[in-house]
Amino acid sequence: MLEKKTYDKLLGHAFDIPVKVDYWDGTSEVYGEGTPQAEIEIRKAIPLKDLTSLPTLTLGEAYMNGDIEVNGDLQELVASAYRSVNSFVTDNSEFLKYLPKISHSEKNSKEDVQSHYDIGNDFYRLWLDKTMTYSCAYFRHEDDTLEQAQENKVRHVLTKLNPEPNKTLVDIGCGWGSLLFMAAEEFNLKATGITLSQEQYDQVKEEIKTRGLEGQVDVYLEDYREVEEKFDYATSIGMFEHVGKENLPKYFEQVQKLLVPNGRALIHGITGQHEGVGTDPFLAKYIFSGGYIPNVAENLTNIMNAGLQLTDLEPLRRHYQKTLETWYQNYAQHLDTVVERYGEPFSRMWALYLQACAASFEAGNIDVMQYLLVNGTSGYDLPMTRSYMYENS
């Protein structure tokens, strides 16, 4: 078992705020100068090998199982660990030794997506907004509701494409269809959605009938690599994080193949701001099986190699932090329901996931980017300045 002095060494540099730690044997220590801003209860000793080789997985599982409790702002505590350059939590290089090779065949990709999104629509309805949009919102105004901000995001994505009416659009990884419906109803586009989630597919099909959009909106339950049709525009929101490092080149090549000459794509997703491992062991095991977050340079290399031209790049880091904070506020209001339906460890796992992700955006080690791409010479069919992206949205 890990000796106390080793805890002192590890925790003494783990945070950039003062933290009190209550140990399993009844002793306590304060790390950092000043009044503690958070209190951690370690109710069970953790083996040194686990803590130093797989810190986020080890601590995440301990929190899920109630072996660790945090009194105070969990998001701020995690952000503090990310900000501390000497924190053992921020160095996951050892994880490479334990990370299994992740397959991203069409079969494996379907299993990965369904393991996350097919928990059940009822679960996501508890804490998402009415549009069921599960990606970064866009807060044009500080007091925007989550629903308004999600509609802002979809409209911002579509406006950036500067689309012409009656043209065709494909949404790769279409979620529950909010972009498809706005594309059809506000921009008069013929929209096609692609998803591997049975739950999402069923709801989109039902919503198409409810809105009377048969013939203008359709959705397919298939892998994005199977699509052979050509489109004028393509969108993909929160998708490339799921395809895996080895398939990123193929992903952008497929975006290029789906576009007509000079067609445009708006790709929106989470990216790392620094070099390093794009996979977290806790998220890989419990939340996003097969997930990988590429850094910006990695994406740009794959974009260029696919024959696409970058015409605009916009970071939305603070918007995703606020989105996650709002999701957690909603989630926290339904904790009793989540525990009743899914159990205490599941409830704590998702609470940790939402707050830790908000902390990661707050600390700046991940971002979310919107890439406006052209399958041809960049920009000739777009206005000369970026003002249209904001005036029209």
Side-chain angles (χ1 to χ4, degrees):
M1 288 296 184
L2 187 60
E3 296 180 359
K4 282 289 188 59
K5 62 182 180 181
T6 312
Y7 266 105
D8 288 337
K9 183 178 179 181
L10 292 175
L11 296 178
H13 302 285
F15 308 102
D16 68 353
I17 60 173
V19 173
K20 180 184 179 184
V21 178
D22 300 321
Y23 289 104
W24 63 92
D25 63 358
T27 61
S28 298
E29 294 288 346
V30 174
Y31 300 101
E33 299 295 328
T35 303
Q37 297 182 26
E39 183 176 0
I40 304 171
E41 297 179 39
I42 304 177
R43 297 168 174 168
K44 181 180 177 181
I46 301 171
L48 173 61
K49 178 179 180 295
D50 295 342
L51 191 58
T52 56
S53 63
L54 297 169
T56 59
L57 177 60
T58 300
L59 294 172
E61 289 183 331
Y63 184 83
M64 283 173 57
N65 297 326
D67 295 332
I68 289 178
E69 187 58 270
V70 174
N71 300 309
D73 190 333
L74 178 58
Q75 178 182 326
E76 177 57 23
L77 182 68
V78 177
S80 172
Y82 285 137
R83 291 193 301 262
S84 179
V85 295
N86 296 316
S87 176
F88 71 100
V89 178
T90 61
D91 181 8
N92 61 352
S93 58
E94 285 293 307
F95 175 48
L96 287 173
K97 299 178 182 178
Y98 301 91
L99 182 64
K101 181 173 176 57
I102 300 171
S103 173
H104 280 85
S105 65
E106 293 183 12
K107 177 178 181 296
N108 292 119
S109 293
K110 185 173 183 178
E111 290 173 352
D112 290 343
V113 169
Q114 291 184 347
S115 71
H116 185 79
Y117 293 99
D118 287 353
I119 294 172
N121 290 345
D122 288 344
F123 171 68
Y124 290 100
R125 285 194 186 100
L126 291 174
W127 49 277
L128 295 180
D129 67 289
K130 188 171 66 176
T131 69
M132 291 288 282
T133 305
Y134 185 30
S135 57
C136 174
Y138 184 63
F139 294 87
R140 289 176 58 86
H141 306 99
E142 185 66 27
D143 59 351
D144 282 342
T145 66
L146 179 59
E147 183 178 349
Q148 289 171 329
Q150 291 292 10
E151 290 177 350
N152 292 343
K153 187 271 301 299
V154 174
R155 192 171 291 111
H156 192 48
V157 165
L158 292 168
T159 298
K160 281 187 174 184
L161 292 169
N162 199 35
E164 298 177 24
N166 302 313
K167 296 282 190 175
T168 58
L169 175 143
V170 61
D171 189 23
I172 306 168
C174 65
W176 286 276
S178 60
L179 187 144
L180 299 174
F181 303 130
M182 185 178 289
E185 294 170 343
E186 291 193 21
F187 292 80
N188 197 25
L189 296 171
K190 185 175 181 181
T192 299
I194 307 297
T195 182
L196 286 174
S197 166
Q198 186 71 52
E199 292 270 348
Q200 292 177 343
Y201 171 82
D202 291 341
Q203 179 159 322
V204 173
K205 292 292 284 188
E206 181 179 343
E207 190 70 14
I208 289 171
K209 293 180 181 179
T210 299
R211 294 173 181 252
L213 293 173
E214 297 94 333
Q216 190 173 1
V217 176
D218 208 347
V219 62
Y220 296 103
L221 185 66
E222 64 181 2
D223 192 280
Y224 71 100
R225 290 165 287 194
E226 297 176 349
V227 183
E228 297 181 354
E229 188 178 347
K230 297 283 188 180
F231 299 87
D232 298 296
Y233 312 108
T235 53
S236 187
I237 298 176
M239 169 68 185
F240 63 65
E241 305 98 306
H242 294 288
V243 305
K245 180 179 178 65
E246 72 278 12
N247 277 332
L248 280 168
K250 175 68 175 179
Y251 169 81
F252 285 106
E253 288 169 9
Q254 182 66 3
V255 170
Q256 189 272 334
K257 289 178 182 178
L258 289 171
L259 290 172
V260 299
N262 295 317
R264 297 189 284 276
L266 195 288
I267 309 299
H268 167 123
I270 300 172
T271 56
Q273 285 283 40
H274 312 287
E275 294 286 343
V277 181
T279 305
D280 178 86
F282 177 77
L283 295 181
K285 182 174 181 179
Y286 290 102
I287 305 294
F288 288 113
S289 177
Y292 173 79
I293 297 177
N295 63 54
V296 176
E298 192 173 1
N299 268 349
L300 292 178
T301 297
N302 287 316
I303 286 168
M304 292 186 292
N305 290 342
L308 296 162
Q309 287 203 4
L310 176 71
T311 190
D312 191 81
L313 180 64
E314 182 178 15
L316 298 175
R317 178 182 63 84
R318 293 174 61 195
H319 293 269
Y320 215 159
Q321 178 188 340
K322 187 175 176 66
T323 302
L324 282 154
E325 290 169 349
T326 307
W327 283 343
Y328 178 69
Q329 291 168 8
N330 294 343
Y331 180 83
Q333 295 176 9
H334 298 283
L335 281 177
D336 290 343
T337 300
V338 177
V339 171
E340 181 181 349
R341 292 181 184 177
Y342 306 100
E344 185 76 25
F346 179 95
S347 172
R348 291 173 66 86
M349 174 182 74
W350 272 84
L352 176 61
Y353 156 62
L354 292 171
Q355 292 175 91
C357 284
S360 195
F361 281 105
E362 179 183 347
N365 48 321
I366 56 174
D367 208 324
V368 61
M369 296 285 183
Q370 290 190 346
Y371 304 78
L372 181 59
L373 310 174
V374 178
N375 183 26
T377 303
S378 177
Y380 281 121
D381 295 328
L382 292 170
M384 289 286 281
T385 72
R386 302 174 79 244
S387 60
Y388 79 95
M389 298 180 184
Y390 307 101
E391 292 172 353
N392 298 332
S393 64

